[in-house]
Amino acid sequence: MGLGERGNWDKSESRYCGVETEFNDDVPRLLSFNLSSTGFDFIVAPLTDPTYRPSLLEADSGSSHVPPFAGSDLVLSPSQWSSHVVGKISSWIDLDSEDEIVRMDSETALKQEIAWATHLSLQACLLPFPKGASCANYARCVNQILQGLSNMQLWLRIPLLKTDDDSPNVDSDNLMDSWELWNLFQLICEHHSQLSVALDILSTLPSVNSIGRWFGEPVRVAIIHTDSFLTNARGYPCLSKSHQKIINGFFNHSVQMIISGKPLHNIPAETIGSAADHTDKNVNNVPRHPLRSYLDYVGYLYQRMEPLSEQERIELGYRDFLQAPLQPLMDNLEAQTYETFEKDSVKYLQYQRAISKALLDRVSDGEASTVTTVLMVVGAGRGPLVRASLQAAEETGRKLKVYAVEKNPNAVVTLHSLVKLEGWENIVTIVSCDMRLWNAPERADILVSELLGSFGDNELSPECLDGAQRFLKQDGISIPSSYTSFIQPITASKLYNDVKSHKDLVHFETAYVVKLHGVARLAPTKPVFTFNHPDYSTKKSNQRYKKLQFEIPRDTGSAMVHGFAGYFDATLYKDVHLGIEPSMATPNMFSWFAIFFPLRQPICVQPGSPLEVHFWRCCGSTKVWYEWCVTSPRPSPIHNSNGRSYWVGL
């Protein structure tokens, strides 16, 4: 049934909600009670009688025995097992127990239950929370199992728990930060893509920064306990503002909800079904599910979320999907690529604003009818900047002469058609040539380009504009006039696994364009490289080096750095800017996603420890490339030495 819909289109996994149940060997009845009359989508049910211990059964019945599983595989259809049942592995299991019998029983039971779940074609199994601070044997055994799994996911249950330094300990004498335990477990299992987190949401939440780490981890489900709910004025369960915020965050990251625990709210019978946001009625005289009001509230939170904007819906398929950056000098863009970029009206409106301001500064009102400004669009593509320039001239009442310089012969065909269609033949001159090789017949007052990449200079804007600025007047204006790249450390478990799946060095030394979504941004961005245009300095070089130090907020706790997210911000002209750096990004612009620089080995940063990273922009005769490394808290190798894996061709 699902929790409802957002905007009549939503197909997110998070619209499904499950319920945690006790052991019951009548699985069809268990399924019917929780799904048919209630609206839950799946059950999380124990697969084995909780009293079962392999050693006791062997002692009683000799060598051959059948574990007391919850019914035969025949009691449900294969599709019911697969779609509506998540196996809950016995919670008594303790593979790191000091007691050898308990440890051996635990390993036997775990493997038996996983084998049975595989036989039933379950999509996932919920693994119990590790009992102590040490979980090496548990993780080793799970890692063994993962090597033989085909499609099933294993969800490791982890409480969302991090006590502050000055707060009393919670639940355990040793456990201060449950993320540490998860991190140890996933490192032993080598970040296996079929190992995920089932996060227990407790009544007390850690800091916002601490919670933020989990958005970069593979959290598949959030388990909300009934004792985490408050009671509203009408007697119904509800959640605190901070709980609502984290649940909404998980909804946005396609995390499914599971409701767990016994009902703690005695809802008056006469109010059942009367509340607009908690509707409930008995169906076919089936008894009302005791957790129905909790499910209704979670559904209410889901349905009141803002529907995704049109831009977000377009970008949905690109979330956390690695793409190789463009090679605009080596390769000619295809029509489809041009069309995608040309749809970004916000970008061209910013350019038009910048050109209008430059024209007004360049030509006074008194000279408007007599002075013609020479404007050159270098890298004109199929003409959107030509159009923006002419619209700026019309808006300001200035006269314009335009040169449209484009190296792609296919785009030049479209340019000629556009000029003829719009009647611009007397204003626009089309030049089919690489801007670095063109000998201009006259000098330009304004040089306009859109050569920026996700990292600012990564599509060789500096090299192109260096070649083009020779035909700009000494007092001429370049649009953009400057741009700066930025980076920040991120947790990005999915991106790391996607890179790792290629099983080679090259992919770990490549920068990717990616619509970041399932990531945790661990510290604010810092500027890396800046380029200014025009640049008439005599000792000019486009090589750059920067050492940066990031401080991850202490209340975050430890965090895993899988790589660095890169952005840019550009000054087009004076106060008109354009960019994707998160704190000052141009709203509703979609021409650029972030860039991702992976690390070959993720680095764990402890609270209060500085993260020191080095970035180089290197230039050769035929290519430009980046190199990067971390030196603190522990050194990493230099990535992409000599551009051996990734470069941009000149």
Side-chain angles (χ1 to χ4, degrees), residues 43-263:
I43 60 172
V44 182
L47 298 176
T48 312
D49 188 317
T51 62
Y52 165 64
R53 299 294 184 274
S55 57
L56 295 178
L57 198 60
E58 285 171 11
D60 291 341
S61 59
S63 58
S64 64
H65 65 274
V66 177
F69 292 131
S72 156
D73 54 349
L74 300 176
V75 299
L76 297 178
S77 69
S79 64
Q80 284 178 307
W81 282 116
S82 176
S83 302
H84 299 300
V85 180
V86 169
K88 181 183 174 185
I89 304 302
S90 296
S91 56
W92 60 264
I93 283 176
D94 182 4
L95 280 104
D96 291 276
S97 171
E98 296 292 325
D99 187 319
E100 187 176 357
I101 294 174
V102 173
R103 192 168 67 247
M104 297 305 293
D105 269 359
S106 297
E107 183 164 342
T108 302
L110 176 63
K111 290 182 176 177
Q112 285 175 342
E113 292 182 33
I114 294 290
W116 180 242
T118 303
H119 174 70
L120 297 174
S121 300
L122 301 190
Q123 288 192 23
C125 277
L126 179 65
L127 300 175
F129 174 61
K131 296 292 187 290
S134 172
C135 61
N137 192 48
Y138 187 9
R140 177 199 68 88
C141 192
V142 168
N143 194 45
Q144 275 186 344
I145 292 166
L146 285 165
Q147 308 310 313
L149 282 185
S150 51
N151 297 314
M152 191 166 70
Q153 292 280 327
L154 298 184
W155 300 342
L156 181 67
R157 191 168 198 156
I158 298 285
L160 181 57
L161 179 67
K162 180 186 178 295
T163 52
D164 297 324
D165 295 341
D166 57 351
S167 66
N169 213 336
V170 180
D171 277 1
S172 163
D173 292 336
N174 301 311
L175 182 63
M176 293 293 287
D177 185 355
S178 59
W179 180 90
E180 297 269 13
L181 202 50
W182 156 248
N183 189 51
L184 173 63
F185 206 101
Q186 73 165 340
L187 284 173
I188 292 173
C189 294
E190 299 181 287
H191 281 77
H192 200 285
S193 60
Q194 286 166 265
L195 177 66
S196 310
V197 179
L199 208 53
D200 265 316
I201 310 296
L202 308 176
S203 55
T204 304
L205 295 176
S207 71
V208 172
N209 283 331
S210 176
I211 292 170
R213 293 175 297 179
W214 291 102
F215 290 108
E217 301 289 357
V219 179
R220 285 301 178 94
V221 292
I223 303 171
I224 316 170
H225 291 257
T226 52
D227 61 7
S228 297
F229 286 80
L230 307 174
T231 306
N232 68 14
R234 301 182 64 253
Y236 280 95
C238 62
L239 289 169
S240 69
K241 294 289 186 187
S242 54
H243 279 81
Q244 290 179 41
K245 188 174 180 181
I246 187 175
I247 296 302
N248 287 338
F250 284 135
F251 280 149
N252 275 324
H253 284 76
S254 297
V255 174
Q256 296 180 349
M257 299 295 145
I258 295 172
I259 293 173
S260 174
K262 298 187 183 304

Side-chain angles (χ1 to χ4, degrees), residues 547-564:
K547 178 176 76 173
L548 296 165
Q549 197 167 85
F550 292 94
E551 291 284 345
I552 294 172
R554 185 173 285 275
D555 68 335
T556 300
S558 301
M560 185 63 82
V561 179
H562 291 110
F564 297 88

Side-chain angles (χ1 to χ4, degrees), residues 234-538:
R234 301 182 64 253
Y236 280 95
C238 62
L239 289 169
S240 69
K241 294 289 186 187
S242 54
H243 279 81
Q244 290 179 41
K245 188 174 180 181
I246 187 175
I247 296 302
N248 287 338
F250 284 135
F251 280 149
N252 275 324
H253 284 76
S254 297
V255 174
Q256 296 180 349
M257 299 295 145
I258 295 172
I259 293 173
S260 174
K262 298 187 183 304
L264 302 175
H265 293 73
N266 296 315
I267 299 167
E270 64 271 14
T271 68
I272 292 174
S274 62
D277 54 345
H278 300 299
T279 301
D280 181 85
K281 293 175 182 174
N282 288 4
V283 180
N284 298 328
N285 294 319
V286 176
R288 183 176 187 273
H289 195 289
L291 298 179
R292 178 61 193 259
S293 55
Y294 300 92
L295 172 65
D296 285 343
Y297 183 78
V298 173
Y300 160 70
L301 290 182
Y302 185 81
Q303 290 171 44
R304 77 172 190 175
M305 289 178 69
E306 288 290 322
L308 295 184
S309 66
E310 185 180 355
Q311 181 183 338
E312 287 173 319
R313 288 170 62 181
I314 291 168
E315 294 172 349
L316 207 54
Y318 295 99
R319 284 180 174 177
D320 299 323
F321 178 74
L322 300 171
Q323 301 176 76
L326 295 173
Q327 292 271 8
L329 290 191
M330 288 173 59
D331 306 329
N332 288 325
L333 301 184
E334 297 176 357
Q336 189 175 0
T337 308
Y338 281 120
E339 187 169 349
T340 301
F341 292 142
E342 288 164 8
K343 286 178 181 174
D344 196 342
S345 57
V346 172
K347 173 176 67 175
Y348 294 112
L349 200 59
Q350 290 296 90
Y351 267 99
Q352 187 177 323
R353 285 183 59 217
I355 295 165
S356 293
K357 289 197 172 199
L359 286 171
L360 290 172
D361 285 353
R362 197 83 184 163
V363 180
S364 66
D365 289 343
E367 299 173 314
S369 59
T370 57
V371 173
T372 298
T373 302
V374 177
L375 182 145
M376 294 180 180
V377 178
V378 288
R382 302 197 308 181
L385 281 182
V386 174
R387 186 183 295 278
S389 301
L390 294 174
Q391 286 172 340
E394 186 178 347
E395 180 185 285
T396 57
R398 274 24 180 196
K399 296 173 73 175
L400 208 58
K401 180 180 182 181
V402 177
Y403 288 91
V405 185
E406 175 54 49
K407 74 172 181 63
N408 182 351
N410 303 308
V412 168
V413 173
T414 312
L415 267 177
H416 277 289
S417 300
L418 177 69
V419 168
K420 188 175 181 181
L421 181 69
E422 298 287 350
W424 296 338
E425 290 94 339
N426 297 326
I427 308 170
V428 178
T429 303
I430 297 170
V431 179
S432 182
C433 185
D434 188 319
M435 70 185 79
R436 296 170 296 173
L437 307 175
W438 181 47
N439 290 315
E442 59 183 318
R443 293 204 163 196
D445 297 286
I446 303 173
L447 192 66
V448 183
S449 63
E450 53 170 332
L451 305 166
L452 298 169
S454 298
F455 202 49
D457 58 80
N458 64 299
E459 292 184 11
L460 306 189
S461 179
E463 285 70 24
C464 292
L465 292 181
D466 286 350
Q469 79 175 27
R470 69 185 189 281
F471 41 77
L472 182 66
K473 290 178 181 176
Q474 195 67 31
D475 63 344
I477 297 167
S478 173
I479 298 175
S481 60
S482 69
Y483 38 90
T484 300
S485 52
F486 296 81
I487 63 164
Q488 69 182 155
I490 60 171
T491 299
S493 182
K494 181 187 182 300
L495 300 184
Y496 173 77
N497 265 332
D498 287 351
V499 176
K500 184 165 73 88
S501 68
H502 293 282
K503 299 179 180 178
D504 62 21
L505 177 68
V506 169
H507 285 83
F508 272 115
E509 296 191 334
T510 298
Y512 299 91
V513 172
V514 59
K515 174 62 181 172
L516 297 175
H517 184 65
V519 303
R521 294 172 170 87
L522 299 172
T525 64
K526 291 200 171 186
V528 191
F529 308 133
T530 297
F531 291 88
N532 296 287
H533 300 287
D535 182 358
Y536 295 114
S537 58
T538 53

Side-chain angles (χ1 to χ4, degrees), residues 463 543 617-625 648 650:
E463 285 70 24
Q543 297 210 139
R617 187 183 196 268
C618 308
C619 303
S621 57
T622 59
K623 65 183 184 181
V624 173
W625 68 96
V648 189
L650 285 164

